[in-house]
Amino acid sequence: MTRYRPHILVVTALAIVLSTGWHGALRNALTDLRFAWQSRAASGNVVVVAIDAPSIDQIGVWPWPRRLHAELLHRLEAAGAQDVAFDVDFSSPSDPASDEAFVNALRKAGGSTILPSFKQPAPNGGAAHINRPLKPFGNQSWPALVNVAIESDGLVRRYPFGEKLGDAVMPSMAVVLAGQNANRRPPFLIDFSIRANSVPSVSYVDVLRGETAALDKLRDKKIIIGATALELGDRFSVPNGRIISGPILQALAAESILQNRMLRWTSDTGMILGLAGICLLMVYSWRRFGPGIRAAILISAGAVFELLAVLVQARWPFIIDTSLFHIAIVAYLTAIALDEIDFRGLLGRIAESRFHRIAMSLGDGLVCTDEGQLITVWNPGASAIFGYMPAEIIGRPFETLCAVSVDGDARPSMRDAARQALLVPGGAVVVEFEGRRKNGETFPVEASFSGWQGTDGFQYGAILRDISVRKREAERVRYLAEYDALTGLANRNTLHAGLVGMIADAGQRPCEVALLVIGLDGFQSINDMLGHSAGDLVLQAVAGRLRAEARGAVVARLSGDEFAIVRKGADGDPPIAEFAERIARAFEAPLATGTRQHRVRISIGVAIHPEGGHNADDLLSNAHLALSKAKLTRRGSHVIFESAIREELENRLTLESELALAADRGEFELFYQPQVRLVDASLVGAEALIRWRHPVRGYVSPGEFMPVVNSSALSERIGNWVMENACRQARAWELSGDRVRVAINLSPSQLQSGDLAHSVAGMLEATGLTPSLLELEVTEDILLHDEARVLDMFKRIQQLGVRVLFDDFGTGYASLSYLKKFPLDGLKIDRSFVFGLLADSDDAAIVGSTIGLSKQLGLTVVAEGIENRATADFLVSMGCEEGQGYFFGRPMPAEAFERQFLAAECAAVSAA
């Protein structure tokens, strides 16, 4: 039994190791050592576009708007990059404009972009949730999985080809980038002998700015875009104590595939043969040779076997598992020197080694000191934070990392607090102090200090975190909660709080508190014509002028193009009306924004405490009512709130309610005003005009209720009712043999709420009306909204065969440009020009020029408001073909229209 005891010990040791899985740690450690012994350069075919610290400093706090990613894609495409993979989360929506820009960029890239998906564990322990790119993004890109498995020691070694999600296998990002097939292929070991620092990398902001040196590195390369900045936290621990970012890990995996270095373990056959060989060798030599020779044989065998494994791994993508072979050798050496080994010391060294490996893999800074507070352990995280390499800092006092107190001994510095925490044996204290980097920069540090009894005396440890980003974010959040990010003015919340405080002060010491709500007139047209970036510059210029003119008052931006000023009255202040007028006059001078100058008028609504409101909410509400009144009646000036304004609003709300009931009860009717050929007064069409028969008031003037309809939620409903009933009436006349062209006035809501061309086509199909018998009249205020969309819509309407006329021509400021830009069939000269045609030479000149221009453009001209034969004859002499007005007929119900015009035409035909 004594003879076989060593071999029984070896078998027992192997059994224990196999049952506990300890050989896996040794196998990983040996493989990691081989990576350290071998060094390979990356092929250079994979380039990382790094979201690094300089990019964050220059672009701003992460996450960035996706329009930047869209612009980056355009840069990469122009630089000649091959495939582009984003290691960035696109699973949730952001700003719609930025998302749309990114979709367009993906579409333009032509499917060469890879977007990540990743599994996220459910908080309740259920099935993992799969975060995929938003559907518009996924439709224009290749999907790829970016999850990697973290092993029990916290390191990443294996990389999957893909994973089955539902019924399909989703390949991993590096696999897609390398052009490999992911079906039914087991994970491989990344070749970490490829140096991470040899992977080419360029800064995100350099590519975005189009720097030539950066773009030249990207030609014909495969691109991975992702976060490498330390503060973004996308970092992984890999063999040999290294910490690399997620994009670099994906790049190393892609390099392993491209270089055919997808490492795999060999079968267990060689291991079994090696174990059998070493056992037979020891059985043969145990009694024949002394301990020294047996130990030399064992060590030589282990070295030869390991050298063979190193050579195989260096030449082919295979890893020979020598862990059990080395364990057997160690077990035999243990049996040889059983009485000479200090097990306690050995276990201590093993524990210390394990601690060191864990310390080196931490993302946070880890610093240990001896009893004299001299640094003994310094991990890569600490190097990343403070800038010192281990050789520069180990042996120096911990105080080297602490900034000197700014006021000397006036108060205890954070350095002293950290020193006291270190002196608490066995304690753990979390403190914040000012740290100092190697370059002298100071920054806030959060430290968790503790102490323990070590083999070499009492020791201290500190886990350190750079919290400067967290501090900046807290300051940013606090700023955004109180101020407007674009203009730097106070926001609505700050304004409200200021109003509350001023009103409270006025209750104790009576004084005037006035609130001015300021709206920009026509600001939307600047955004529409010049873009939102130009609009932002205008808003900043407006804020600057308000701040300069309202010195001593609180200036705030409420929303969009609305601003506010709160003035607390004091002795010597001008009256509020004079103050408001001065603010309005200040905008008579143009605003300078870069190379442009803009003339922006403002309207002001004023509410004064207590007449205009007893609290902050009432003041804001009433000042907005006064602003609405100013925009309607006194643009470019101010209106002070009074109770009559609210009464006017209440009357409007009452009218809106009555109009809604009228629509439900069918109280609206259509009247038709004839349109004639001026040469012979023959009927060519009719304009459909809405009338309201009120059950008590009788017919209500359209001038009273239509402005309310057009600015209320009823607009689209009533507009569609007018179109449907007019089309049905025109179809009824058509079936009876009278081809009467019916003109309909469009409301802005009909163009803004949906696809008008589709609605017109559906109406024509439902009623059976011939398209040429339908005419749509549009005004300039309709054309101003979303010009490109309206232009496309009118082109499709004309393709149906429906005519489009420009109504109220000459009353807008840009009418001539619309004649050239929009697909029109004709125009209607506004009655304001026709009424004074015979007496006013200016009106005659305008009408004559309009008719001449229209004929050159091939447009039909219809004159409105003809009230006598002389005006009709004068228009004929000018070349006007069609007209309408009281001279030919007032608006009338359909039955009266038929009796007066259609029956007369039938009689004329019969007589002929």
Side-chain angles (χ1 to χ4, degrees), residues 397-411:
F398 182 82
E399 292 181 355
T400 307
L401 309 178
C402 304
V404 178
S405 175
V406 294
D407 50 4
D409 297 328
R411 60 177 174 83

Side-chain angles (χ1 to χ4, degrees), residues 267-300:
S267 66
D268 295 333
T269 304
M271 176 63 65
I272 294 172
L273 292 176
L275 287 174
I278 198 68
C279 288
L280 291 175
L281 183 60
M282 286 297 101
V283 168
Y284 174 78
S285 62
W286 198 263
R287 296 298 178 186
R288 291 176 175 80
F289 303 108
I293 296 177
R294 293 199 305 272
I297 292 173
L298 289 169
I299 294 172
S300 299

Side-chain angles (χ1 to χ4, degrees), residues 845-858 861 878-880:
I846 292 172
V847 172
S849 300
T850 302
I851 294 172
L853 176 63
S854 300
K855 285 184 173 294
Q856 294 180 7
L857 295 174
V861 181
M878 288 182 169
C880 184

Side-chain angles (χ1 to χ4, degrees), residues 189-233:
L189 293 170
I190 299 174
D191 187 4
F192 286 106
S193 65
I194 300 173
R195 299 189 302 277
N197 58 9
S198 68
V199 176
S201 176
V202 295
S203 182
Y204 187 107
V205 70
D206 291 344
V207 178
L208 200 62
R209 290 187 303 208
E211 292 190 5
T212 304
L215 296 179
D216 288 343
K217 296 180 180 180
L218 306 177
R219 185 172 302 279
D220 298 327
K221 305 298 184 184
K222 299 176 183 294
I223 309 300
I224 297 176
I225 303 166
T228 62
L230 182 64
E231 55 264 47
L232 297 185

Side-chain angles (χ1 to χ4, degrees), residues 742-805:
V742 176
I744 301 169
N745 292 288
L746 290 179
S747 67
S749 62
Q750 287 177 286
L751 279 88
Q752 297 167 11
S753 61
D755 189 343
L756 179 63
H758 181 75
S759 300
V760 171
M763 194 69 69
L764 291 173
E765 183 179 356
T767 60
L769 178 65
T770 301
S772 60
L773 297 180
L774 179 61
E775 190 171 84
L776 303 180
E777 297 183 2
V778 297
T779 54
E780 183 175 318
D781 60 335
I782 291 178
L783 299 181
L784 280 171
H785 293 84
D786 200 353
E787 188 175 285
R789 177 173 168 270
V790 172
L791 177 62
D792 174 70
M793 197 176 297
F794 284 159
K795 286 181 178 178
R796 291 192 288 126
I797 289 174
Q798 284 188 319
Q799 290 170 0
L800 296 173
V802 176
R803 289 165 50 86
V804 179
L805 265 70

Side-chain angles (χ1 to χ4, degrees), residues 652 655-657 659-660 705-718 747 749:
R652 175 188 172 89
L655 184 57
E656 283 188 14
S657 177
L659 285 169
F705 72 87
M706 281 308 296
V708 177
V709 169
N710 287 333
S711 60
S712 71
L714 292 169
S715 177
E716 183 181 1
R717 177 184 175 185
I718 294 177
S747 67
S749 62

Side-chain angles (χ1 to χ4, degrees), residues 29 40-41 61 141 165 220 267 270 290 293 336-337 383-384 431 450-451 720 726 806 813 833 875:
R40 300 173 185 274
V61 177
S141 62
L165 302 179
D220 298 327
S267 66
I293 296 177
I336 293 172
S383 294
V431 298
S450 59
N720 291 338
F806 194 172
Y813 71 90
F833 297 103
L875 287 167

